[in-house]
Amino acid sequence: MEDHDQTSALQKHVMFFDRDNDGVIYPSETFQGFRAIGAGLLLSSFAAVFINVGLSRKTRPGKPFSFQFPIEVKNIKLAKHTSDSGIYDKEGRFVPERFELIFAEHALTHHHALTSEELQNLLKSNREPKDYAGWVAAYSEWKILQYLCKDEHGLLHKETIRSVYDGSLFEKMAKETASKKKK
């Protein structure tokens, strides 16, 4: 990406997966990114296919179909799915009020964390009628986050969720994974 001052939060969210920093994310890079954050082979493979097949065409308006399934980081806002939390606006900017609303409405057991049941309620509350693709996308994103980042009590903490929205979580996870491999 050329100008990081103009980079949206949504772009920052996906830039970790642009492993060669050329503004385009290929399935192999998505796979490498998931492996770097500690995901297993199966999840990394599934994510690479699911994410790139699902987002490639949306981020490449006016360009022909490509079996390489590239995702253009600069156009990631075009791939924003429905039935989401609304934490990113239409331009891919982070909306703090929407983020805080998640915890005000759904973090009922612990003020700064979501239980599995509370996460399910969040997903249900964001569903748009008959928006099956949006439901699957939202469910997949949140459940992968929960799977990879819940604590020993099954809680998904506010600071963890916040850091996924600006992409900083991925860098942190990659460092932790690399550190574990060295031991």
Side-chain angles (χ1 to χ4, degrees):
M1 301 293 307
E2 312 82 41
D3 185 1
H4 289 283
D5 294 335
Q6 297 298 317
T7 305
S8 72
L10 183 54
Q11 288 170 322
K12 290 175 185 175
H13 170 76
V14 302
M15 286 171 65
F16 171 82
F17 297 94
D18 181 8
R19 308 304 282 171
D20 61 5
N21 204 30
D22 67 352
V24 181
I25 304 168
Y26 292 95
S28 61
E29 292 177 293
T30 303
F31 175 85
Q32 291 166 10
F34 269 82
R35 293 294 288 152
I37 62 173
L41 286 171
L42 188 60
L43 176 56
S44 300
S45 298
F46 173 78
V49 171
F50 182 76
I51 292 169
N52 284 74
V53 168
L55 303 184
S56 179
R57 293 218 25 151
K58 295 175 184 178
T59 66
R60 303 177 69 242
K63 293 184 179 174
F65 173 81
S66 172
F67 279 108
Q68 292 181 325
F69 298 106
I71 296 170
E72 293 187 11
V73 174
K74 69 180 180 182
N75 294 327
I76 195 65
K77 70 181 182 182
L78 301 175
K80 194 170 148 354
H81 62 80
T82 50
S83 292
D84 70 350
S85 61
I87 293 176
Y88 293 124
D89 69 10
K90 290 182 181 185
E91 296 302 314
R93 295 176 296 230
F94 180 78
V95 181
E97 299 81 19
R98 292 288 303 176
F99 179 74
E100 293 299 330
L101 195 59
I102 285 176
F103 294 90
E105 292 182 352
H106 299 284
L108 307 176
T109 309
H110 304 276
H111 184 63
H112 292 298
L114 295 173
T115 65
S116 182
E117 184 179 325
E118 291 165 347
L119 179 55
Q120 278 303 124
N121 291 334
L122 167 67
L123 290 167
K124 286 178 186 175
S125 72
N126 289 331
R127 286 184 185 167
E128 295 179 15
K130 299 183 181 181
D131 176 32
Y132 306 114
W135 296 0
V136 169
Y139 180 85
S140 300
E141 291 168 350
W142 280 98
K143 286 301 188 173
I144 289 171
L145 178 63
Q146 180 185 33
Y147 172 74
L148 292 174
C149 298
K150 66 184 175 192
D151 71 8
E152 64 275 4
H153 305 292
L155 299 174
L156 192 53
H157 290 270
K158 185 177 185 176
E159 63 270 10
T160 301
I161 297 169
R162 172 65 177 94
S163 66
V164 80
Y165 282 102
D166 65 15
S168 64
L169 176 65
F170 305 132
E171 291 293 341
K172 178 183 172 205
M173 291 174 73
K175 286 178 184 170
E176 289 172 359
T177 300
S179 174
K180 287 178 188 174
K181 286 182 180 178
K182 287 182 182 177
K183 291 181 180 180

